[in-house]
Coordinates of all heavy atoms in Angstrom, one line a residue:
H203 N 151.0 29.8 53.4 CA 149.9 30.3 52.5 C 148.9 29.2 52.3 O 149.2 28.0 52.0 CB 150.5 30.6 51.1 CG 149.5 31.2 50.2 ND1 148.4 31.9 50.6 CD2 149.4 31.1 48.8 CE1 147.7 32.3 49.5 NE2 148.3 31.8 48.5
V209 N 140.2 35.3 52.9 CA 140.3 36.2 54.1 C 139.6 37.5 53.8 O 139.7 38.1 52.8 CB 141.8 36.5 54.4 CG1 141.9 37.2 55.7 CG2 142.6 35.2 54.4
G374 N 145.7 47.0 51.3 CA 146.4 46.1 50.3 C 145.9 44.7 50.5 O 145.0 44.4 51.2
C375 N 146.6 43.7 49.8 CA 146.2 42.3 49.8 C 146.3 41.8 51.3 O 147.3 41.9 51.9 CB 147.1 41.5 48.9 SG 146.9 39.7 49.2
R376 N 145.2 41.3 51.8 CA 145.1 40.9 53.2 C 145.9 39.7 53.4 O 146.6 39.6 54.4 CB 143.6 40.6 53.5 CG 143.3 40.6 54.9 CD 142.9 41.9 55.5 NE 141.6 42.4 55.0 CZ 141.1 43.6 55.3 NH1 141.8 44.3 56.1 NH2 140.0 44.0 54.8
T377 N 145.9 38.7 52.5 CA 146.7 37.5 52.7 C 148.2 37.8 52.8 O 148.9 37.2 53.6 CB 146.4 36.5 51.5 OG1 145.0 36.4 51.3 CG2 146.9 35.2 51.8
R378 N 148.6 38.6 51.9 CA 150.0 39.0 51.8 C 150.4 39.7 53.1 O 151.5 39.4 53.6 CB 150.1 40.0 50.6 CG 151.5 39.9 50.1 CD 151.5 40.6 48.8 NE 152.9 40.7 48.4 CZ 153.4 41.4 47.3 NH1 152.5 41.9 46.5 NH2 154.6 41.4 47.0
A379 N 149.6 40.6 53.6 CA 149.9 41.3 54.8 C 150.0 40.3 56.0 O 150.8 40.4 56.9 CB 148.8 42.4 55.1
L388 N 154.8 36.6 50.0 CA 154.0 35.9 49.0 C 154.5 36.2 47.6 O 154.2 35.5 46.7 CB 152.5 36.2 49.2 CG 151.5 35.2 48.6 CD1 151.8 33.8 49.1 CD2 150.1 35.7 49.0
A390 N 153.4 38.1 45.4 CA 152.3 38.7 44.6 C 151.0 38.7 45.5 O 151.0 38.0 46.5 CB 152.1 37.8 43.4
D391 N 150.1 39.5 45.0 CA 148.8 39.5 45.8 C 148.1 38.2 45.6 O 148.3 37.5 44.5 CB 148.0 40.7 45.3 CG 148.6 42.0 45.7 OD1 149.5 42.0 46.5 OD2 148.0 43.1 45.3
C392 N 147.3 37.8 46.6 CA 146.7 36.5 46.5 C 145.5 36.4 45.5 O 145.2 35.4 45.0 CB 146.1 36.1 47.9 SG 144.5 36.9 48.3
G393 N 144.9 37.6 45.2 CA 143.9 37.6 44.2 C 142.5 37.2 44.6 O 141.5 37.3 43.9
H394 N 142.4 36.7 45.9 CA 141.0 36.3 46.3 C 140.6 36.8 47.7 O 139.6 36.3 48.2 CB 140.9 34.8 46.2 CG 141.9 34.0 47.0 ND1 142.9 33.3 46.5 CD2 142.0 33.8 48.4 CE1 143.6 32.8 47.5 NE2 143.1 33.1 48.6
C395 N 141.4 37.6 48.3 CA 141.0 38.2 49.6 C 140.0 39.3 49.3 O 139.8 39.7 48.2 CB 142.1 38.6 50.5 SG 143.0 40.1 49.8
D396 N 139.4 39.9 50.3 CA 138.4 40.9 50.1 C 139.1 42.1 49.4 O 138.5 42.7 48.5 CB 137.7 41.4 51.4 CG 138.7 41.7 52.5 OD1 139.9 41.4 52.4 OD2 138.3 42.3 53.5
N397 N 140.3 42.5 49.8 CA 140.9 43.7 49.2 C 141.3 43.4 47.8 O 141.4 44.4 47.0 CB 142.1 44.2 50.1 CG 141.6 44.8 51.3 OD1 140.4 45.1 51.5 ND2 142.5 45.1 52.2
C398 N 141.7 42.2 47.5 CA 142.1 41.9 46.1 C 140.8 41.9 45.2 O 140.9 42.3 44.1 CB 142.7 40.5 46.0 SG 144.5 40.5 46.4
I399 N 139.7 41.3 45.7 CA 138.5 41.2 44.9 C 137.9 42.6 44.7 O 137.5 43.0 43.6 CB 137.5 40.3 45.6 CG1 138.0 38.9 45.5 CG2 136.1 40.4 44.9 CD1 137.1 37.9 46.3
Ligands
ZN602 ZN1 144.7 39.3 48.4

Side-chain angles (χ1 to χ4, degrees):
H203 184 31
V209 186
C375 172
R376 195 90 68 184
T377 311
R378 209 169 169 181
L388 200 52
D391 290 353
C392 78
H394 60 253
C395 69
D396 53 347
N397 287 349
C398 278
I399 290 173

